[in-house]
Amino acid sequence: MEFSFDLNFIWFILIGILLGGYAILDGFDLGVGALHLLTKTDLNRRILLNSIGPVWDGNEVWLVTGGGALFAAFPHVYATSFSGFYVPFMLLLFFLIFRAVSIEMRSKQEMLWWRKMWDYLFSFSSIFIGFLMGVAIGNVIQGIPIGPDKEYAGGLLNLLNPYAILVGVTTVAAFMMHGAIYLVMKTDGELQETVRGWVNNTIIFFV
């Protein structure tokens, strides 16, 4: 089989780099969000949020750029994936919005119930973002049924197959491990020692 280094191949590599960059660079702050509720004091939760404060929104540019590149280079793939994964992608979008709002709104009021509400929303949104990304990746790796009209031929439940769910859980575990390692570099003292314990646990969870 003759290898062809054409424009399609270049775009394929470029999109892979963009989506991989998103997984790496946004993965650690999604992991920090997934670990957020493991801290019990308001101060420690504020420290965790401050650790990702300067970078969390910028990291999401990789996802937007990857989607735009997919639309420009492979419009049929873009159309099929976004129509077939419509519900998961809409859920992903909502969780991204909820996560951003929770980061911005948490410190607007000092009431305990207010901050707890946004803490839970931030953490659960981070977990579900990672899970949905993993489910999408699992289905892409495994393959999805596509009809002759280039439309997704399955249903929503077909996307929630055991392999895709396993990849989703593995993705969450990888992000949590990534986030814990990142927090070791961004914290000190007693909190850092606590985070070191998270690193060991998340590595076991990932493996």
Side-chain angles (χ1 to χ4, degrees):
M1 182 177 179
E2 185 178 350
F3 176 75
S4 177
F5 192 79
D6 56 7
L7 192 59
N8 286 334
F9 179 79
I10 295 173
W11 272 108
F12 183 81
I13 296 298
L14 178 60
I15 292 171
I17 292 173
L18 290 171
L19 296 181
Y22 172 75
I24 294 171
L25 295 177
D26 203 39
F28 70 80
D29 61 60
L30 289 172
V32 171
L35 297 167
H36 185 71
L37 293 179
L38 296 181
T39 55
K40 301 303 180 183
T41 66
D42 183 74
L43 175 61
N44 285 343
R45 290 180 178 179
R46 185 69 258 173
I47 292 173
L48 263 60
L49 284 172
N50 288 345
S51 71
I52 63 172
V55 297
W56 70 267
D57 51 350
N59 289 338
E60 293 179 355
V61 173
W62 289 81
L63 181 62
V64 177
T65 308
L70 183 65
F71 173 75
F74 306 108
H76 290 302
V77 176
Y78 179 91
T80 301
S81 60
F82 273 74
S83 60
F85 295 163
Y86 180 78
V87 173
F89 281 165
M90 288 303 297
L91 288 174
L92 178 64
L93 178 61
F94 283 132
F95 284 126
L96 285 169
I97 293 172
F98 292 154
R99 183 170 179 270
V101 171
S102 63
I103 292 174
E104 297 296 334
M105 296 297 293
R106 182 186 185 275
S107 298
K108 297 297 183 182
Q109 300 290 337
E110 295 185 0
M111 290 90 75
L112 181 61
W113 67 268
W114 174 271
R115 294 194 171 185
K116 278 191 173 183
M117 176 183 69
W118 294 114
D119 284 338
Y120 278 100
L121 187 58
F122 171 62
S123 189
F124 287 135
S125 295
S126 300
I127 292 171
F128 279 108
I129 289 170
F131 178 74
L132 289 171
M133 288 176 58
V135 168
I137 293 170
N139 278 287
V140 170
I141 294 173
Q142 183 176 240
I144 59 174
I146 299 176
D149 56 353
K150 299 180 181 179
E151 293 288 337
Y152 174 59
L156 178 61
L157 293 180
N158 296 110
L159 300 177
L160 296 175
N161 56 78
Y163 180 77
I165 292 174
L166 177 62
V167 176
V169 173
T170 303
T171 302
V172 173
F175 286 171
M176 292 175 70
M177 178 181 65
H178 194 12
I181 294 171
Y182 172 79
L183 286 174
V184 170
M185 300 185 295
K186 292 294 183 177
T187 56
D188 54 21
E190 184 179 348
L191 179 57
Q192 187 183 61
E193 292 303 314
T194 302
V195 171
R196 289 185 187 276
W198 296 351
V199 172
N200 296 330
N201 293 334
T202 53
I203 289 175
I204 294 172
F205 179 37
F206 173 67
V207 173

